[in-house]
Amino acid sequence: MFLKAHLLLKLRFLVSASKCQRPTTNAVFRITATYSTICLTQGENLMEEAIEHPRNSVELFKKWGCSEDDLSKIFSRQPSLRRAQVTPLLAKFKLLNRLGLNTSDIVKIINCRPRFFCSRINNFFDERLDFLMTLFGSGEVLRKAVVRNPSLLTYDFHNRMKPVIALYEEMGVRGNDLITMLISRPTLIPRTSFNEEKLEYIKKTGVSKGSKMYKYVVTLIGISRIETIQEKVSNLEKFGLSEEEICSLLGRSPLILTLSVDKVQRNMIFVVGTMKLSPKLVLQYPFLLFSNLEAILKPRVLLAGKLKEMELHPQIKGSVMLRALRMTEKRFLSAFVKCHPENVASELLEFYKHTKRLKRLAVASKKIQRRGFPF
């Protein structure tokens, strides 16, 4: 009886609605079927959410595949995630899932950006994702870039990220070159700035846009403060190098801009003062500035003096010295230490190991602990 009354009421409602809208019979049945299907689907979804919805963040991370060891790393880097609300955290996990990030990637992201999940990564996410997919060309390359620099998902999209990318493309750094720089230099987007002085330095290096070094020159000058560049140039000028020679050197070996003033100064003093070489030699052999003074330059030069003192051959001098300084440890020992009789080789090896243990004054007292990106 109740079913018949319900059907009569529904029929009366449809007839009265037809006077205003005049829908066809098919449309009526289509609307009725759609409403019933939606109600059924919503009921199923609510049932699934009630069963699968995690009660807390720990359950959510475990559901995502995190082990106890992973959870320990995550909560030690960002303890507040243990008390995080599940709903917004789950929404961010779903966004990250679209990038193909796995459990290991999540742990790495939190390790280098502990407050990453506190950021509003949902802002312009679809637009940002389309832009990054076009830029990187594939989902796998984009995934590696995000793991390397999670801030790609949090930078100010319209006011910072897009203008910086457009600026580098306008300067001739685009495609695979730009992708390489974005992955190798995670601070590229927030630190980039150009002015007339920086553009003048780029011009002075003499590097053309078609050169393999061009992308390194442009990006390293772009992320460096002009005061820092001037300080590093003047540091080399103290040893008798002209600005033109230094800029030419930067064009051939732009990574010199990543070296500290202190390191370059100590290496130059050793090359000029102890090795008695011309300072202009670094223009031809830039590795003299990159080599570790305590682990490579000083021990090998002192061993060369020991060989000369003991009148042993082969001697390490002249052009042989420059080759010896570039050798791997294994090859160096084989060429100049282990080639001698066992008793002599043992004495030379002990002397060489002793020189490698010598450290600069107060170096042992330094306490440097880095977490996340070492920038």
Side-chain angles (χ1 to χ4, degrees):
M1 184 69 181
F2 176 77
L3 181 61
K4 290 182 179 180
H6 177 69
L7 291 173
L8 287 173
L9 286 172
K10 180 181 286 190
L11 183 60
R12 180 177 295 177
F13 171 76
L14 292 173
V15 169
S16 61
S18 65
K19 294 179 181 179
C20 299
Q21 300 179 5
R22 297 185 181 276
T24 60
T25 306
N26 292 337
V28 172
F29 286 110
R30 186 165 60 249
I31 294 171
T32 307
T34 303
Y35 284 151
S36 63
T37 305
I38 290 174
C39 293
L40 182 61
T41 306
Q42 288 176 344
E44 292 174 351
N45 290 341
L46 290 173
M47 183 66 69
E48 290 177 1
E49 290 180 4
I51 294 173
E52 299 181 3
H53 195 73
R55 293 174 296 179
N56 52 52
S57 62
V58 176
E59 287 189 4
L60 177 58
F61 279 109
K62 287 183 177 179
K63 180 183 175 183
W64 216 259
C66 292
S67 63
E68 291 296 335
D69 186 49
D70 294 333
L71 290 175
S72 176
K73 293 178 182 178
I74 290 171
F75 295 140
S76 65
R77 289 294 286 136
Q78 185 64 10
S80 64
L81 284 175
R82 190 184 293 273
R83 304 181 303 275
Q85 295 182 3
V86 175
T87 302
L89 195 60
L90 179 60
K92 291 175 181 177
F93 266 107
K94 290 180 178 178
L95 293 178
L96 296 178
N97 187 47
R98 293 169 59 182
L99 295 172
L101 298 175
N102 54 36
T103 306
S104 175
D105 297 334
I106 297 295
V107 175
K108 290 177 182 177
I109 287 174
I110 296 175
N111 182 59
C112 66
R113 291 287 188 275
R115 294 184 58 80
F116 176 75
F117 279 99
C118 299
S119 306
R120 297 181 178 180
I121 62 175
N122 57 317
N123 287 353
F124 306 106
F125 184 82
D126 292 329
E127 187 179 356
R128 186 191 302 266
L129 182 59
D130 291 341
F131 177 80
L132 291 174
M133 280 295 295
T134 303
L135 177 64
F136 287 97
S138 71
E140 180 60 23
V141 177
L142 174 58
R143 185 189 68 81
K144 291 180 180 178
V146 170
V147 173
R148 173 72 169 155
N149 182 16
S151 296
L152 287 171
L153 301 179
T154 61
Y155 290 136
D156 188 333
F157 181 60
H158 291 289
N159 298 322
R160 189 63 190 169
M161 179 182 284
K162 291 181 71 174
V164 169
I165 298 298
L167 178 60
Y168 278 112
E169 290 180 340
E170 183 182 346
M171 295 185 69
V173 181
R174 56 173 63 90
N176 290 332
D177 289 341
L178 182 56
I179 291 172
T180 301
M181 292 297 97
L182 285 169
I183 294 177
S184 63
R185 300 284 162 190
T187 58
L188 188 68
I189 291 176
R191 290 178 56 180
T192 290
S193 66
F194 286 100
N195 55 27
E196 292 298 327
E197 292 175 290
K198 286 188 176 184
L199 295 176
E200 185 64 24
Y201 272 116
I202 294 174
K203 184 179 179 180
K204 286 180 180 179
T205 61
V207 180
S208 64
K209 290 186 177 182
S211 171
K212 292 182 179 179
M213 292 292 105
Y214 181 75
K215 58 180 179 288
Y216 297 100
V217 171
V218 173
T219 53
L220 287 173
I221 290 179
I223 65 176
S224 301
R225 294 185 302 116
I226 188 62
E227 296 82 7
T228 302
I229 298 173
Q230 292 170 344
E231 184 182 8
K232 292 181 177 181
V233 170
S234 64
N235 184 44
L236 287 170
E237 285 179 332
K238 293 176 184 177
F239 295 93
L241 303 180
S242 66
E243 184 178 351
E244 291 73 18
E245 290 174 328
I246 296 169
C247 289
S248 176
L249 175 62
L250 294 178
R252 289 179 282 109
S253 186
L255 292 179
I256 289 176
L257 286 172
T258 65
L259 302 177
S260 68
V261 171
D262 180 59
K263 176 177 174 57
V264 171
Q265 190 171 30
R266 287 189 296 111
N267 281 31
M268 286 295 293
I269 290 173
F270 185 79
V271 168
V272 176
T274 303
M275 298 178 67
K276 308 300 181 183
L277 299 176
S278 170
K280 293 186 181 293
L281 196 66
V282 298
L283 300 175
Q284 187 178 356
Y285 301 101
F287 78 89
L288 292 170
L289 298 178
F290 290 95
S291 297
N292 189 296
L293 180 59
E294 285 77 22
I296 296 177
L297 294 182
K298 188 180 292 185
R300 297 187 183 185
V301 170
L302 292 177
L303 183 65
K306 185 71 172 178
L307 291 172
K308 183 178 180 180
E309 178 187 326
M310 297 175 67
E311 298 182 350
L312 297 174
H313 294 277
Q315 295 277 317
I316 306 176
K317 58 184 180 179
S319 60
V320 177
M321 173 69 77
L322 294 173
R323 290 202 303 272
L325 293 176
R326 302 184 71 173
M327 289 180 180
T328 62
E329 188 79 351
K330 182 179 179 180
R331 185 183 174 190
F332 176 79
L333 292 176
S334 176
F336 300 105
V337 176
K338 296 180 180 179
C339 61
H340 298 289
E342 186 175 352
N343 59 333
V344 178
S346 298
E347 181 182 351
L348 291 174
L349 187 60
E350 182 61 30
F351 174 82
Y352 182 67
K353 288 181 177 179
H354 174 72
T355 59
K356 288 177 72 72
R357 288 194 293 267
L358 298 176
K359 300 294 182 182
R360 277 195 305 148
L361 186 64
V363 165
S365 64
K366 286 186 176 181
K367 294 182 179 179
I368 301 175
Q369 292 183 351
R370 289 190 177 123
R371 289 185 176 182
F373 288 137
F375 304 113

